[in-house]
Amino acid sequence: MLIPVIDFIFLIILGRFIGSISVFLWLIGTLLIGSYIMKNVWITVKQQAVEQFRAGKMPDLLMVEGLSFFLIGLLLAIPGPMTDLIAVILLIKPIRLKFVQLLLMFVMKKFKGNIVWTGYIKK
C-alpha cells in the first residue's frame, strides 16, 4: 500500500522537474513496454511448454522464468517510477535469479517442502 503512494509523490515531483507531458509520455511508454513483455512472454512460454511436454519433460524452470518476466512486465505496466525501477533491477539476470530463489524458498516453507523445483534452489 505504501508503494503506490510513493509512486504518486515521485510522479508529482518528476512532473515539476521534467514537465507533465514528459511524465505522461514516460507512463504511456512503460505501459506499452510492459504490455509487450507480458504478451510475448506468455506466447513464448506457452509454445516452449508445449514442446517440452511433447518431449516428455516437465517445464518447471521454463514456467518460473516465464513468471519472473511476466512480473517484470506487470511492474512496468503499473504506472510509477518505483515499480519501473524494481522492474529494471529485476531485468539483471543474477538479481532475478536470486529473487526467484528467495521466492521459491518462501513458497516451499509455506507448503512445508511439498513442492520440488529443480535447478533454481541450490543449498
Side-chain angles (χ1 to χ4, degrees):
M1 204 62 190
L2 187 60
I3 290 180
V5 173
I6 294 171
D7 272 341
F8 185 69
I9 291 170
F10 278 152
L11 285 176
I12 291 172
I13 293 170
L14 277 174
R16 290 183 184 210
F17 282 111
I18 64 173
S20 58
I21 293 188
S22 298
V23 170
F24 178 74
L25 292 175
W26 173 33
L27 292 175
I28 296 299
T30 57
L31 172 69
L32 293 174
I33 291 170
S35 300
Y36 177 79
I37 288 173
M38 286 189 291
K39 178 183 174 188
N40 281 344
V41 164
W42 169 249
I43 291 170
T44 304
V45 167
K46 191 171 98 173
Q47 290 171 347
Q48 290 178 356
V50 168
E51 290 172 9
Q52 286 191 3
F53 272 128
R54 287 185 183 152
K57 298 178 183 175
M58 189 65 170
D60 53 352
L61 296 177
L62 176 68
M63 298 302 281
V64 169
E65 190 72 17
L67 283 173
S68 66
F69 273 100
F70 188 82
L71 175 65
I72 290 169
L74 182 64
L75 286 170
L76 283 171
I78 296 172
M82 288 291 290
T83 55
D84 294 346
L85 179 64
I86 294 168
V88 169
I89 289 171
L90 287 176
L91 280 172
I92 302 168
K93 189 169 185 167
I95 295 173
R96 184 176 64 247
L97 292 176
K98 189 64 176 172
F99 171 76
V100 168
Q101 286 177 348
L102 292 172
L103 186 64
L104 290 176
M105 291 297 283
F106 174 76
V107 169
M108 285 178 63
K109 284 181 183 176
K110 279 289 188 188
F111 290 105
K112 299 188 181 21
N114 293 331
I115 298 176
V116 176
W117 296 90
T118 58
Y120 267 88
I121 299 178
K122 298 174 185 167
K123 295 188 178 190

